[in-house]
Amino acid sequence: MNALELNGLCKRWPGFSLEDVTLALPAGCILGLVGENGAGKTTTIKLILNMLRADGGSATVLGQDAAALDKNDVGVVLDEAGLPQGLNPGQIGRIMSGIFRNWDAACYARYLDRFELPHGKPYKAFSRGMKMKLAIAIALSHNARLLVLDEPTGGLDPVVRDEIVELFSEFTRDADRAVLISSHIVSDLEKLCDYIAFLHKGRLVLFEEKDALLERYGLLRCDASALDAIDPGAVVGRRDSAYGAEAIVRRGAAPAGLALSPVGLEELFIFMTKGAR
Amino acid sequence: MKGLLQKEFYQLWGWWLVSLGIFLAVSTLSGTSFYAVFAILMAGMLPGSMLSQDEQCRWDSYAGALPVSRAQLVAAKYLIALILIGTAWLLACVTQAIRLGLFTREWVLYVTFSLGVGLLCPSLLLPILFKFGSTKGRVAYLIGLGALFGVVAALSVSAEDGMAFLGYLQAHAALFPLVSAALFAVSWRLSVAFYQRREL
Amino acid sequence: MNIFIDNKSGEPIYSQICTQLKNQILSGALREDEALPSIRNLAKDLRISVITTKRAYEELEREGFLYTIPAKGSFVAPKNVELLREENLKKIEAHLGEVARLAAACGLDRAELIEMFETLTEESL
């Protein structure tokens, strides 16, 4: 069963439109949403959560239309977390227990301790990292089946990010659950995701299994003329300098003598974005 | 739903109790009923300013991702309005009874009018804020504040003045809160309809 | 059971898993009918994608190294003499290819190569 299915999803605003986004996230998997600022990641997430009305296409979440979705099953972290300023985590926990059907107060308390969030300190005194951690604690404490995360690791140092990414990975040890995560921090997504979707200016440029994607391409460093000789359809993007050229090329398209080094997700996207401009 | 009301309480209660205390003390000590009526009016304004606060801290967005319906989010504000206005009104009635005497004409008039006026304020402001958001609705907010301030000033009475005025209105006194209550209910329905169309 | 994934080697991850598991099965480190970790647990513990571990297990099953019982998991297949021979033949072919390449690179002709091999095998016998 698919945890999430988007079919031709569209949203139009003056000055920006999200067009024809189609993808599917099977249960038990993690989907990473990448794209530059303004590419449409937050719009896509809001359409999934029925916070915006689609202008076309459909979104099916946990088997139901997005408009009929029971949000008790969805754990959400939004960019700019959005909790009331003057309240402390203890109060927020009590509020959430009156909102979520399956709120687990013991689980929430454990996360607060694990993240070292003081129960009595008001939210407005929290650093950005602490605010994110609190939102994550809430999202993980009500037995959700799907996590929808919009930039959940912003403001966190690498050690904490690694820990949090590990938490999200553990979430899908259970094959019934799934995660959708949008992030700028591509290295987190590379560790975590099974699928990658790349949004650029409101269009879905790519939706693939992450490992297959990384296996398909390699980084080629050679002189510019050798690069010119390769079929342009196999070249994802190139960078020329005074000392030669480098490009991301589909394996198999490079001539036999030239070695391709493995390419990381971040490099792939930088080259793809620059190539698309 | 219960969680939503709890949120409003956590944000309000300390501040509200203190304000009520101050207003009522001042109104009992002063010669007019102005301050007590003002407390009731302020109670009516508070849900609007809570909405504004919600928008500033992006709670309104976040709440859109929680398992609460738009209708419940609207209900939380209207119920809070009723609770705040109700408590202010009851305490004002008690303190004014001390000053004007229980069940006197002035007191009855005061009781019905202040309730009517108190309910009026949120009924008029909340649908505007739910439809347009507090940044655009702020203009209406300020106009409403100014207009009602003027109404309160016009309505506040000292024991001697306005007896004739009171006498005239007393005949129609019972109607005013009923009309206001009906308006409140209509406003609630309208707000739900507006907010369900809002994009977050 | 030890499995080490090298992200920087350029070799596809599923292939690395296949090779390492195969070696352990052939060497006897993993015994017949021993339970293998589930696809999901293996992925989470190695911090790689579930899709990749699934692919590795499917390949191993296709080549006869493991078998799967629905709802129970995957287990090491009984050692198949044919399989062992097949694997070893593949390895010999790969090594021989490398030998041929190296010989060409340093100008060693076939006769010299065969002489070298005969000397070596005489010594080891």
Side-chain angles (χ1 to χ4, degrees):
Chain A
M1 204 206 46
N2 284 333
L4 180 63
E5 266 179 47
L6 302 181
N7 259 307
L9 201 58
C10 302
K11 179 70 185 167
R12 296 178 193 108
W13 274 316
F16 172 77
S17 72
L18 187 75
E19 294 287 347
D20 202 24
V21 175
T22 299
L23 54 84
L25 172 63
C29 294
I30 303 180
L31 168 61
L33 202 52
V34 212
E36 79 276 13
N37 283 331
K41 303 191 295 294
T42 302
T43 304
T44 305
I45 285 178
K46 287 188 173 182
L47 284 166
I48 290 169
L49 295 171
N50 198 34
M51 291 162 70
L52 298 175
R53 263 186 314 281
D55 289 323
S58 69
T60 307
V61 187
L62 296 174
Q64 296 171 304
D65 187 61
L69 172 65
D70 179 3
K71 288 179 186 152
N72 277 299
D73 292 328
V74 183
V76 180
V77 174
L78 295 179
D79 200 9
E80 297 166 51
L83 291 165
Q85 293 294 314
L87 304 184
N88 61 47
Q91 291 171 319
I92 290 173
R94 282 188 289 280
I95 290 171
M96 294 301 165
S97 76
I99 288 179
F100 287 108
R101 191 174 49 231
N102 298 319
W103 181 253
D104 186 341
C107 183
Y108 178 68
R110 278 198 299 276
Y111 278 119
L112 289 184
D113 290 335
R114 182 170 173 177
F115 294 150
E116 295 174 352
L117 297 173
H119 289 239
K121 191 169 179 189
Y123 187 72
K124 59 174 172 272
F126 278 19
S127 68
R128 182 164 174 219
M130 289 164 82
K131 288 184 180 177
M132 287 289 41
K133 286 195 248 184
L134 181 58
I136 292 169
I138 295 171
L140 292 172
S141 299
H142 62 268
N143 291 303
R145 284 167 55 209
L146 172 66
L147 288 183
V148 176
L149 312 165
D150 195 358
E151 308 277 354
T153 54
L156 299 175
D157 68 67
V159 176
V160 175
R161 267 199 279 121
D162 187 69
E163 209 192 304
I164 301 246
V165 161
E166 182 66 18
L167 274 177
F168 295 151
S169 178
E170 283 301 308
F171 185 77
T172 49
R173 207 179 267 260
D174 179 340
D176 262 335
R177 297 164 164 184
V179 178
L180 166 64
I181 171 170
S182 106
S183 183
H184 281 130
I185 305 174
V186 186
S187 57
D188 286 346
L189 296 184
E190 188 161 356
K191 275 187 224 172
L192 180 63
C193 298
D194 300 307
Y195 292 90
I196 294 282
F198 180 33
L199 278 175
H200 179 63
K201 295 192 179 155
R203 305 286 183 281
L204 186 66
V205 168
L206 188 155
F207 170 63
E208 302 243 23
E209 292 174 10
K210 179 206 68 177
D211 286 335
L213 181 63
L214 295 179
E215 281 163 30
R216 183 170 322 124
Y217 295 101
L219 184 64
L220 180 62
R221 293 189 181 97
C222 60
D223 56 76
S225 53
L227 196 49
D228 293 331
I230 298 174
D231 165 28
V235 177
V236 167
R238 76 186 269 174
R239 189 151 49 193
D240 291 278
S241 77
Y243 303 101
E246 48 178 13
I248 298 206
V249 171
R250 204 165 52 231
R251 285 185 190 274
L258 301 172
L260 291 176
S261 5
V263 65
L265 213 53
E266 186 145 21
E267 287 169 302
L268 186 61
F269 287 129
I270 292 174
F271 274 82
M272 280 180 109
T273 313
K274 288 203 168 142
R277 287 205 187 129
Chain B
M1 180 65 215
K2 173 175 150 235
L4 292 177
L5 285 173
Q6 206 158 10
K7 166 197 164 289
E8 310 292 350
F9 272 121
Y10 277 139
Q11 286 180 291
L12 279 174
W13 75 283
W15 185 84
W16 178 236
L17 284 179
V18 168
S19 308
L20 263 188
I22 294 173
F23 273 119
L24 292 172
V26 169
S27 77
T28 330
L29 294 173
S30 78
T32 71
S33 57
F34 173 76
Y35 296 101
V37 177
F38 194 70
I40 297 170
L41 285 174
M42 225 188 52
M45 295 294 225
L46 273 176
S49 74
M50 299 300 289
L51 251 182
S52 187
Q53 253 184 53
D54 286 351
E55 271 179 46
Q56 275 179 327
C57 70
R58 313 292 292 272
W59 163 263
D60 63 332
S61 250
Y62 186 62
L66 296 176
V68 286
S69 67
R70 305 286 175 99
Q72 285 173 318
L73 289 167
V74 171
K77 294 292 189 286
Y78 276 84
L79 287 172
I80 280 295
L82 282 177
I83 292 168
L84 292 172
I85 292 169
T87 50
W89 179 72
L90 281 171
L91 288 170
C93 291
V94 165
T95 57
Q96 294 310 306
I98 295 169
R99 192 172 71 86
L100 299 169
L102 200 61
F103 298 122
T104 57
R105 275 168 52 182
E106 301 93 327
W107 185 83
V108 169
L109 196 64
Y110 174 86
V111 154
T112 50
F113 251 77
S114 59
L115 183 61
V117 167
L119 285 175
L120 207 57
C121 171
S123 307
L124 298 173
L125 285 178
L126 285 178
I128 298 175
L129 297 180
F130 275 117
K131 182 150 177 76
F132 298 110
S134 63
T135 29
K136 288 187 202 158
R138 198 157 287 162
V139 174
Y141 190 86
L142 291 170
I143 293 174
L145 193 66
L148 284 156
F149 201 76
V151 168
V152 169
L155 281 181
S156 74
V157 289
S158 61
E160 305 83 12
D161 292 346
M163 271 296 267
F165 184 56
L166 294 182
Y168 170 76
L169 293 170
Q170 197 186 1
H172 312 273
L175 269 180
F176 188 22
L178 291 174
V179 169
S180 272
L183 261 172
F184 189 84
V186 167
S187 163
W188 189 329
R189 297 284 300 276
L190 203 58
S191 288
V192 170
F194 284 159
Y195 206 48
Q196 277 171 339
R197 301 291 304 163
R198 268 288 281 286
E199 306 218 295
L200 294 170
Chain C
M1 182 175 75
N2 287 323
I3 299 188
F4 305 107
I5 304 290
D6 183 358
N7 281 321
K8 308 267 192 298
S9 73
E11 190 189 347
I13 298 175
Y14 84 92
S15 164
Q16 293 180 38
I17 298 175
C18 273
T19 309
Q20 292 186 44
L21 279 177
K22 264 189 225 180
N23 288 339
Q24 292 188 30
I25 292 172
L26 288 173
S27 72
L30 286 171
R31 284 180 297 276
E32 281 180 22
D33 297 316
E34 187 171 328
L36 292 166
S38 75
I39 290 172
R40 196 156 282 280
N41 282 330
L42 185 65
K44 295 304 169 188
D45 292 331
L46 287 176
R47 299 184 127 211
I48 57 177
S49 168
V50 138
I51 296 173
T52 296
T53 52
K54 183 157 179 256
R55 196 168 158 196
Y57 273 33
E58 279 170 358
E59 172 128 337
L60 287 170
E61 186 159 17
R62 222 181 2 252
E63 293 185 10
F65 284 90
L66 62 80
Y67 61 94
T68 309
I69 302 178
K72 281 203 175 235
S74 300
F75 303 84
V76 177
K79 222 179 285 202
N80 188 334
V81 171
E82 266 308 305
L83 214 58
L84 204 66
R85 194 183 140 76
E86 191 65 42
E87 274 308 301
N88 284 333
L89 282 175
K90 276 196 219 163
K91 280 189 189 161
I92 291 174
E93 208 178 313
H95 285 309
L96 283 176
E98 186 64 14
V99 165
R101 199 183 67 79
L102 284 169
C106 69
L108 208 64
D109 72 29
R110 189 193 275 185
E112 287 168 317
L113 202 56
I114 291 177
E115 203 185 310
M116 249 181 104
F117 182 69
E118 283 177 347
T119 318
L120 269 169
T121 44
E122 252 171 49
E123 284 174 0
S124 65
L125 281 174

